[in-house]
Amino acid sequence: QVQLVESGGGLVQAGDSLRLSCAASGGTFSKYAMAWFRQAPGKERAFVARISIGGRLYYADSVKDRFTISRDNAKNTVFLQMNSLRPDDTAVYYCAADLVYSGNYGFAHEYNYWGQGIQVTVSS
């Protein structure tokens, strides 16, 4: 069983930066691809970014060039650096772990474990 705990969210102004962290426990972190999703009020959970076991990166078009996903296998942690934040980035952000890749990295059903989510609010 893998446990994921997000941290680093909060309330910021448009144009600011935040770094989210997701600490994993209960498994072999280096063997999992990791991703971030977000869910805004009234909307479905949406893919944000993914980092594979080998470090390959994937981003949603809406965050490309603003957000950066990274991982530290020694610390069992995945990060999401968010720059130039906009009000439409406001959402609950979730980290997720993918044990066996089936080719659907942008879909929530690809992932086996989820964190509890953390709120990010960007004011205009």
Side-chain angles (χ1 to χ4, degrees):
Q1 191 77 1
V2 176
Q3 292 83 42
L4 303 173
V5 179
E6 301 96 339
S7 61
L11 171 64
V12 297
Q13 294 186 329
D16 285 351
S17 298
L18 270 180
R19 188 173 84 153
L20 302 182
S21 300
C22 173
S25 62
T28 306
F29 181 76
S30 61
K31 294 185 178 179
Y32 310 143
M34 298 296 296
W36 290 93
F37 282 71
R38 65 187 181 185
Q39 189 166 17
K43 295 188 176 181
E44 294 186 353
R45 196 168 295 191
F47 172 75
V48 175
R50 172 185 171 101
I51 183 166
S52 73
I53 296 170
R56 186 171 183 178
L57 306 178
Y58 305 80
Y59 293 98
D61 287 342
S62 60
V63 306
K64 205 171 295 185
D65 299 326
R66 298 189 299 124
F67 290 11
T68 302
I69 188 171
S70 61
R71 65 190 298 161
D72 185 338
N73 288 342
K75 296 182 178 180
N76 291 351
T77 302
V78 62
F79 303 98
L80 186 68
Q81 178 66 43
M82 305 186 293
N83 298 330
S84 302
L85 282 161
R86 309 185 307 217
D88 62 357
D89 293 317
T90 295
V92 176
Y93 283 71
Y94 298 87
C95 70
D98 183 6
L99 275 60
V100 180
Y101 186 42
S102 62
N104 299 301
Y105 71 84
F107 294 88
H109 64 72
E110 170 72 34
Y111 299 86
N112 306 96
Y113 297 101
W114 292 83
Q116 81 286 354
I118 192 161
Q119 179 69 45
V120 172
T121 303
V122 185
S123 64
S124 57

